[in-house]
Amino acid sequence: MRILDPTIQQKATKRTVPMASRPQSLSGATIGLLANSKSNSMALLDRLAEILSDRYQIGNVVRISKGDLKAPMSRVDADRLVGSCTAVITAIGD
Amino acid sequence: MNSKESIASVLSVERSGIEVADPWSAIEACYDKGWTDGLPVVPPTDRLVDAMLATGPWQPGEVLLYEPVRDRAVTAEKAAINAVMAGCLPTYFPVVGAALQAIGDPLFMLHGPATSTGGAALMIIVNGPIREQFGFNAKGNLFGPGCRANATIGRTLRLVLLNCLDCKPGILDKSTQGWPGKYSLCFAEDEASSPWGPLHVSRGFAAEQSTVTVFAAESGHNILSHGTTDPEQLLACFIDAMAGLGSFSPGYTVIVFTPEHVVHLARAGWSRRQTQQWLYDHAWRSLADLKRGGKLEPSFYAEAARVDWLYSDSPDSRPSPLPSPAEAGRVFSGDENVRVHRGIGPDDILLTVGGADAGGHSAFFPSWSRGRAVPFVTKEVPT
């Protein structure tokens, strides 16, 4: 007898997101920090930014907290990160 | 930021499965594959799944629920497979489909309650003629085991989350503890015992329509009261639970009145609105209490909506400047007089009726999350 598979393995839109090119260096790079708005997420990201600054001499930091932890970030915030940052780090903090 | 508009409403369906020797091997195979909620499932054979699909108005490839974060579309076919596994009768499938559409409504933002450390259960409240047609339980042992419709329809939602949306414990489901309601939390309203008419009528549907109302619920609190017939004395027990520090939030509330309690409100002529208003007005804690209980997090004062909620019932204007994050937990003079209410208004409190005719036991269910949570969603069951 056959039993049917109850799972879904494939994505619905089948969209492909190409990987961004890897920066050769973070020296002077603008780094985005995207927090999920919980109390400790930006604290975690800020500490990470300090470490990156010490080790890799990153440049500016762009901080964004989502505001609504259960919703995706806004298009405005996404465009700001894409438009200004070499790389973005996101974190959740409960 | 996908939306359902970016996917087709009907997808192609290709059946796949595994060969097994017999039903007993099939049960073990489902365990081996990680397809269960920990309890044995009914093996989903082609025949059983076809019978399940046949009772619904949907084509097999029709999308009942699209979850944009995972980019997963749950078709009627996949829903039917999980409904068979849950033990549903084929006739239940329209209810299953409506419940999936409800939790898949963008307003419900399913990703939050399905994966949060908060460990929400997916509550389904059933209204309308299907309650009797399908033998839903609205009476004794309302939340407990024993009724096939209640148990299996609620269970189907969890199996869909586990199997179709990867919301497995420790993987995407990050519940710290969860609670047993996550297995299944589905019941019918005892409409005959409600002095206010059916819940779904209060939410804009006709009495002759059948509906499901979904809610992301924390574990329920038993409200035990046997010593009074006075509405305010009775409701004092409810507000005490609603204002408890452990579940306190600006979110939503479900109150399930047992018939023995709601009759006191009916005899005193309390309307649904009056009852919601009284509960909202009286379910509050002082800001000082919240701070002493460690409920004010440093980030709260950076959120405008949260600040509005904290100071919406204050005899004085809110402090200016607001406390810094470092001082979020410090009790200032005047904080004793600031009343912080559970929720942001009486509409956040949903009242329904259910349970045995005997026994002074009602229930309070807080919404998932220490934030605003997600709202109630009601969908019609196709007939």
Side-chain angles (χ1 to χ4, degrees):
Chain A
M1 59 182 278
R2 176 172 84 156
I3 58 174
L4 297 178
D5 184 346
T7 68
I8 297 175
Q9 303 300 329
Q10 291 184 317
K11 296 194 173 187
T13 61
K14 297 184 175 49
R15 72 187 189 282
T16 56
V17 180
M19 292 292 285
S21 57
R22 308 288 99 182
Q24 294 301 309
S25 167
L26 292 181
S27 175
T30 298
I31 303 298
L33 303 179
L34 175 63
N36 77 331
S37 82
K38 292 279 186 79
S39 296
N40 293 316
S41 48
M42 191 54 81
L44 173 66
L45 288 166
D46 279 341
R47 180 64 188 123
L48 194 54
E50 286 176 14
I51 294 170
L52 291 174
S53 184
D54 288 343
R55 288 192 192 174
Y56 302 106
Q57 293 78 51
I58 61 173
N60 294 327
V61 169
V62 176
R63 290 179 178 77
I64 292 179
S65 185
K66 276 203 304 179
D68 183 352
L69 63 95
K70 59 190 178 296
M73 68 173 160
S74 69
R75 171 61 72 183
V76 168
D77 286 341
D79 288 345
R80 184 178 166 210
L81 290 173
V82 168
S84 62
C85 301
T86 301
V88 177
I89 307 169
T90 188
I92 59 173
D94 209 11
Chain B
M1 280 137 274
N2 274 319
S3 67
K4 194 171 179 186
E5 291 71 35
S6 67
I7 68 164
S9 59
V10 180
L11 304 178
S12 63
V13 170
E14 280 184 37
R15 279 193 177 176
S16 64
I18 58 174
E19 289 294 324
V20 292
D22 50 49
W24 301 271
S25 302
I27 293 171
E28 286 305 318
C30 289
Y31 272 119
D32 291 341
K33 286 284 193 181
W35 291 348
T36 84
D37 54 4
L39 295 168
V41 291
V42 174
T45 63
D46 289 75
R47 183 180 64 81
L48 291 177
V49 173
D50 288 338
M52 187 68 67
L53 277 167
T55 67
W58 306 287
Q59 303 170 49
E62 203 161 335
V63 176
L64 299 183
L65 182 163
Y66 174 65
E67 206 291 294
V69 176
R70 301 295 289 164
D71 191 19
R72 298 282 172 83
V74 181
T75 59
E77 164 93 353
K78 288 297 182 183
I81 295 171
N82 284 279
V84 167
M85 296 170 77
C88 287
L89 285 171
T91 47
Y92 299 167
F93 193 54
V95 186
V96 168
L100 288 172
Q101 290 174 324
I103 64 171
D105 190 304
L107 283 175
F108 198 76
M109 285 182 277
L110 179 61
H111 178 71
T115 62
S116 163
T117 53
L122 297 176
M123 175 187 285
I124 306 170
I125 306 172
V126 183
N127 280 100
I130 55 164
R131 295 170 306 128
E132 276 105 40
Q133 287 169 13
F134 297 158
F136 282 97
N137 182 24
K139 303 297 289 182
N141 201 30
L142 184 69
F143 310 125
C147 171
R148 186 172 185 173
N150 291 31
T152 60
I153 291 170
R155 191 186 184 200
T156 305
L157 261 58
R158 184 54 55 181
L159 287 177
V160 167
L161 259 59
L162 289 165
N163 289 328
C164 298
L165 302 181
D166 281 346
C167 294
K168 293 183 185 288
I171 299 176
L172 211 57
D173 184 345
K174 297 297 190 181
S175 297
T176 304
Q177 295 185 333
W179 64 286
K182 293 182 67 177
Y183 282 96
S184 177
L185 185 59
C186 174
F187 58 93
E189 181 176 49
D190 181 3
E191 294 180 8
S193 297
S194 172
W196 309 306
L199 169 67
H200 66 318
V201 172
S202 76
R203 293 180 61 75
F205 292 83
E208 58 270 21
Q209 290 177 287
S210 290
T211 66
V212 290
T213 299
V214 295
F215 173 65
E218 280 185 8
S219 52
H221 301 238
N222 180 40
I223 310 297
L224 172 70
S225 175
H226 291 86
T228 184
T229 59
D230 178 84
E232 291 193 6
Q233 284 189 352
L234 171 66
L235 295 182
C237 281
F238 289 78
I239 58 169
D240 191 71
M242 290 171 65
L245 283 180
S247 295
F248 202 84
S249 80
Y252 301 87
T253 293
V254 167
I255 299 290
V256 186
F257 284 113
T258 197
E260 191 174 294
H261 283 166
V262 82
V263 70
H264 303 317
L265 301 174
R267 285 175 183 156
W270 282 48
S271 68
R272 182 190 297 274
R273 188 64 183 180
Q274 180 180 2
T275 305
Q276 288 172 298
Q277 189 71 56
W278 197 95
L279 289 170
Y280 171 75
D281 288 343
H282 292 83
W284 59 267
R285 291 300 283 262
S286 70
L287 184 59
D289 256 3
L290 294 182
K291 288 182 177 182
R292 281 189 286 262
K295 300 292 284 189
L296 266 287
E297 300 178 32
S299 64
F300 281 13
Y301 282 108
E303 300 168 27
R306 186 89 65 165
V307 173
D308 288 343
W309 169 62
L310 290 173
Y311 291 98
S312 66
D313 188 0
S314 171
D316 306 312
S317 56
R318 64 184 61 178
S320 181
L322 290 169
S324 67
E327 291 207 300
R330 182 180 157 196
V331 179
F332 293 94
S333 64
D335 286 350
E336 298 287 354
N337 302 320
V338 177
R339 294 184 175 188
V340 186
H341 293 259
R342 176 175 179 79
I344 63 172
D347 288 335
D348 288 349
I349 303 170
L350 182 149
L351 307 180
T352 185
V353 180
D357 289 331
H361 299 270
S362 290
F364 152 58
F365 290 92
S367 57
W368 151 76
S369 172
R370 61 195 196 262
R372 187 69 182 124
V374 293
F376 315 107
V377 175
T378 302
K379 297 288 186 188
E380 182 177 12
V381 176
T383 54

